[in-house]
Amino acid sequence: MNKLNMTLVAITSLALTSSAAFALDDAAREALMKDSKCFKCHAVDKKKDGPTFKETAAKYKGKADGEKKVSDAITTGPKVKIDGNEEAHVKIKSTNDADIKAVVTWILAQ
């Protein structure tokens, strides 16, 4: 096998094994969000303790840092106010970048 072919095989292997290649499908994303208790405080368009996903999407629509802000909110556990009490936002139960991106992209698409 020549050097070019070996390089192409290596690049293809890396692409297929990267975390992006294993992005969540809709059912797996929803299961992750349920397991992470996202729907306890949030819904697509029904007000609960936290903002609706539609409100969040509208807030960050067209903003360059929107994806990062939502990602930080679900991965770092920032303080949030619920009924006047401050508590840590629950973190998503995944550290996989592709899983987190799938959830963030879905939230921002609402």
Side-chain angles (χ1 to χ4, degrees), residues 25 57 100:
D25 63 16
I100 294 164

Side-chain angles (χ1 to χ4, degrees), residues 68-80:
K68 180 177 180 353
K69 295 244 183 187
V70 174
S71 181
D72 288 349
I74 66 173
T75 60
T76 64
K79 297 288 183 187
V80 294

Side-chain angles (χ1 to χ4, degrees), residues 13-86:
S13 295
L14 284 172
L16 292 174
T17 59
S18 72
S19 61
F22 299 104
L24 298 176
D25 63 16
D26 288 342
R29 182 217 13 94
E30 186 172 344
L32 173 59
M33 291 178 76
K34 282 180 180 177
D35 188 44
S36 300
K37 311 249 185 289
C38 298
F39 298 114
K40 178 181 179 224
C41 297
H42 304 278
V44 172
D45 56 7
K46 179 183 172 195
K47 186 71 173 153
K48 291 186 172 184
D49 288 334
T52 68
F53 293 124
K54 284 187 183 241
E55 290 171 330
T56 301
K59 178 178 180 179
Y60 294 111
K61 184 177 182 176
K63 295 187 178 173
D65 65 344
E67 192 172 302
K68 180 177 180 353
K69 295 244 183 187
V70 174
S71 181
D72 288 349
I74 66 173
T75 60
T76 64
K79 297 288 183 187
V80 294
K81 284 200 175 189
I82 299 177
D83 295 330
N85 298 316
E86 194 172 83

